[in-house]
Amino acid sequence: GLKGARIGVLRSETDAGNLTDQVVESALAAMKSAGAILIDPVEIPTIPQLEAPEIMALVCEFKDMIREYLVARGPAEPHKSLTDLIRFNIEQADVEMKYFGQEWFEASEQTDGRATPGYREALADCRRLARVEGIDRVMTEHRLDALVGLTSGPPFATDLLNGDRSVVGETALPAVSGYPSVTVPAGYVYGLPVGISFMAGAWSEPTLLKLAYAFERATRMRRAPHFLPTIDFER
């Protein structure tokens, strides 16, 4: 499935670390060994412009969608809106907000949901920057079958002082565009999994499944997931 496939490599700057970088390089080498043609790197200059409209769309949509979800839970569900959830967290602050707040809830609550002025413009900007001027443009320019990039760094250990410290790779682009992507295991750092993501334009699921399947067959990196009580730094 990888033989002859033209795959563009996304290399956004992250602080994933040298060990994660080594996993990515090994994955790319495996693709080449399986016959893929790598165009490395390819750049999507619109990625930095996505942050503002993406956040705008996110906080507006969340308010409406969390309400729809809560209502769909039926009459036994005591909370019917984001307002109810915020109030509950405040009332149970000694438990629910012992370590962290609810800033994203509050930011979403300040909007009028999808009726917020500027929401539709932000959504249109997301689609233009991620689709037309993003994935579609670079795939056409380089005649690609797919793009590939780091999904994220190794899962972070739970830390109640610093919170989430995940290193996100290329997941935002397909998420914002609404285009398909598939993530597969690429390797491990001290026993913690690192994934890569194949992505492409609309209706590209058959191609992505073919490439991902071929990569998994070539590398055999998948292991059954399990909970780790701690990280084994001897591995």
Side-chain angles (χ1 to χ4, degrees):
L2 283 164
K3 187 175 182 180
R6 292 178 59 84
I7 301 175
V9 181
L10 295 172
R11 292 185 177 273
S12 298
E13 291 187 11
T14 67
D15 57 350
N18 183 55
L19 294 178
T20 298
D21 291 341
Q22 291 177 26
V23 171
V24 173
E25 294 306 320
S26 294
L28 296 175
M31 291 179 211
K32 291 180 70 173
S33 294
I37 301 167
L38 299 186
I39 293 79
D40 184 9
V42 295
E43 296 183 0
I44 299 182
T46 57
I47 288 179
Q49 303 170 45
L50 273 173
E51 183 176 6
E54 177 188 4
I55 291 175
M56 174 69 170
L58 183 151
V59 295
C60 292
E61 291 174 353
F62 183 76
K63 184 174 184 177
D64 288 348
M65 292 181 177
I66 197 67
R67 181 183 65 250
E68 294 166 7
Y69 165 74
L70 292 170
V71 170
R73 286 176 58 85
E77 171 57 58
H79 306 104
K80 303 299 182 184
S81 67
L82 182 57
T83 303
D84 293 342
L85 297 183
I86 290 173
R87 183 187 305 112
F88 175 86
N89 286 339
I90 292 173
E91 292 171 350
Q92 310 292 329
D94 59 329
V95 175
E96 297 297 332
M97 296 195 291
K98 184 177 181 180
Y99 300 105
F100 306 109
Q102 53 180 343
E103 292 84 359
W104 284 107
F105 274 23
E106 292 166 351
S108 183
E109 178 68 4
Q110 294 302 311
T111 73
D112 292 322
R114 285 170 287 193
T116 302
Y119 163 69
R120 292 190 178 278
E121 180 181 356
L123 187 62
D125 286 342
C126 283
R127 290 171 174 169
R128 173 178 57 82
L129 294 169
R131 293 179 182 180
V132 180
E133 299 176 14
I135 291 176
D136 294 342
R137 182 193 63 79
V138 75
M139 298 239 351
T140 299
E141 180 180 334
H142 295 285
R143 297 178 291 110
L144 301 176
D145 295 294
L147 296 161
V148 72
L150 174 69
T151 304
S152 68
F156 55 87
T158 299
D159 185 337
L160 295 179
L161 291 178
N162 299 298
D164 295 356
R165 290 182 292 172
S166 60
V167 176
V168 178
E170 310 299 341
T171 56
L173 191 62
V176 175
S177 68
Y179 285 167
S181 69
V182 57
T183 296
V184 291
Y188 298 83
V189 173
Y190 293 117
L192 299 175
V194 173
I196 57 168
S197 292
F198 292 93
M199 65 200 78
W203 319 117
S204 60
E205 287 90 342
T207 296
L208 297 181
L209 289 171
K210 178 180 70 173
L211 297 176
Y213 176 76
F215 177 80
E216 287 197 296
R217 293 283 292 180
T219 59
R220 303 287 184 174
M221 284 295 174
R222 181 174 296 280
R223 301 177 192 167
H226 56 279
F227 289 107
L228 298 179
T230 187
I231 299 172
D232 183 0
F233 287 106
E234 297 304 316
R235 293 202 217 184

